[in-house]
Amino acid sequence: MRRALLNWLPPAAVFPLLIWGWKAYIAAFDVPPNLLPQPEDVLKHLVFHFTRGDMLRHVGVTLHEVFVGVLIGAAAGVAAGYWVARSRLLERLVMPFVLIVQTAPKISIAPLLILWFGLGIESKVALVVLVVFFPIMVNEVAAIRDIDADLHQLLSVLGATAWQRFAYLEFPASLSWLLSGMKVAVTQAVIGAVVGEMIGSKAGMGFLLMLGNETSDINLILASVIVLSLIGLLLYLLVAFAERRLVAWREPEAEPELPRSEERRVGKECR
């Protein structure tokens, strides 16, 4: 608990400075409120949209798209990464096409998905799946290939089946890698869902961003950006918490050893 509080102290100390810098910039350059409002005005609009508006419904739509897309994308990434890791031939056949899809700008793929799946949740989920799939697959490939060959030989000697090999060795060994990839995937999933909503949707945080842009409502835009940032942060912290709980058995990083001459010098100082 104490360590967690110490980790949050620096950001908590910097936050008032950011607010002060925001207000100082407006005062120094006489920025009109239609371009950059005061922080308290943004907060008022944020509270208004949550209490009297329908921002909570839009947040729910975006989170629904993110959760469904992450589940499908992570499952597909684990399955694809597992088989790619076990077959070099499959890697040479599949990876070029995976890289082509991954390097294509997602904002250029979004119109195609909307054309194919419509303006509903399906097109946004498909975009989230594309965003999540690659980091999970790459981490799964690295995790499976990082397993010590002696452990595989030991299971072979014990007569383990393919399912037992996966359940007792490969999946536990890859869990840490997968959760590290998930921390990247969940934050990118929010971006993917919002991009899809901005291209074409009837609800969601991306819809609110476009609505604020079309109506020149800077307060709505900033409030939506703040909410999206908090969503991404909370999802990242949730995965980080799961990582600490699920891979608590992982050995801590060893401290670097001192040279022998340095050890003797430190020993003399201690005496």
Side-chain angles (χ1 to χ4, degrees):
M1 182 67 180
R2 183 180 178 183
R3 183 178 179 182
L5 291 175
L6 291 176
N7 290 336
W8 281 101
L9 277 178
V14 171
F15 182 74
L17 296 177
L18 294 176
I19 299 298
W20 178 85
W22 184 344
K23 296 177 71 69
Y25 177 81
I26 294 174
F29 296 97
D30 194 23
V31 182
N34 63 314
L35 293 181
L36 185 61
Q38 293 287 346
E40 57 269 22
D41 293 333
V42 177
L43 180 60
K44 289 178 183 177
H45 280 78
L46 182 59
V47 173
F48 173 81
H49 285 294
F50 265 109
T51 55
R52 299 185 182 181
D54 56 353
M55 181 172 283
L56 193 59
R57 179 177 68 88
H58 293 288
V59 169
V61 171
T62 299
L63 285 176
H64 185 200
E65 296 164 355
V66 169
F67 286 141
V68 174
V70 167
L71 287 176
I72 298 174
V78 169
Y82 180 78
W83 290 109
V84 167
R86 294 173 64 89
S87 173
R88 295 286 181 177
L89 175 61
L90 186 61
E91 180 182 13
R92 290 194 295 269
L93 292 174
V94 172
M95 284 305 294
F97 299 100
V98 174
L99 290 173
I100 289 173
V101 174
Q102 177 62 26
T103 54
K106 299 303 178 288
I107 196 170
S108 64
I109 299 177
L112 289 175
L113 297 177
I114 291 174
L115 182 64
W116 294 336
F117 297 105
L119 294 175
I121 187 177
E122 293 82 3
S123 56
K124 287 72 178 178
V125 169
L127 190 58
V128 173
V129 170
L130 290 178
V131 171
V132 170
F133 175 82
F134 186 75
I136 298 298
M137 189 198 73
V138 169
N139 277 33
E140 176 69 7
V141 171
I144 296 299
R145 291 180 177 173
D146 189 60
I147 297 174
D148 193 343
D150 292 338
L151 296 176
H152 282 290
Q153 293 177 2
L154 174 62
L155 289 181
S156 298
V157 171
L158 295 175
T161 63
W163 169 249
Q164 290 173 329
R165 188 186 300 270
F166 175 78
Y168 295 107
L169 174 62
E170 294 170 334
F171 181 74
S174 63
L175 190 58
S176 177
W177 291 76
L178 291 176
L179 290 172
S180 297
M182 281 293 292
K183 287 192 286 188
V184 177
V186 293
T187 54
Q188 295 296 319
V190 176
I191 299 174
V194 172
V195 167
E197 291 169 351
M198 292 177 67
I199 297 298
S201 66
K202 301 176 182 178
M205 295 305 297
F207 171 81
L208 286 185
L209 285 171
M210 294 304 297
L211 179 63
N213 180 60
E214 293 171 358
T215 58
S216 300
D217 189 348
I218 186 65
N219 289 291
L220 178 58
I221 294 174
L222 290 176
S224 301
V225 170
I226 292 172
V227 171
L228 286 170
S229 300
L230 291 176
I231 290 174
L233 176 62
L234 290 175
L235 290 176
Y236 178 90
L237 293 176
L238 182 63
V239 176
F241 176 78
E243 183 181 26
R244 288 194 301 270
R245 294 296 181 181
L246 295 176
V247 294
W249 46 265
R250 184 175 55 184
E251 295 181 0
E253 295 183 0
E255 297 183 359
E257 297 183 0
L258 293 174
R260 293 192 176 275
S261 58
E262 188 69 15
E263 288 181 358
R264 289 194 293 269
R265 185 183 68 79
V266 172
K268 290 179 182 179
E269 291 178 355
C270 293
R271 291 195 294 268

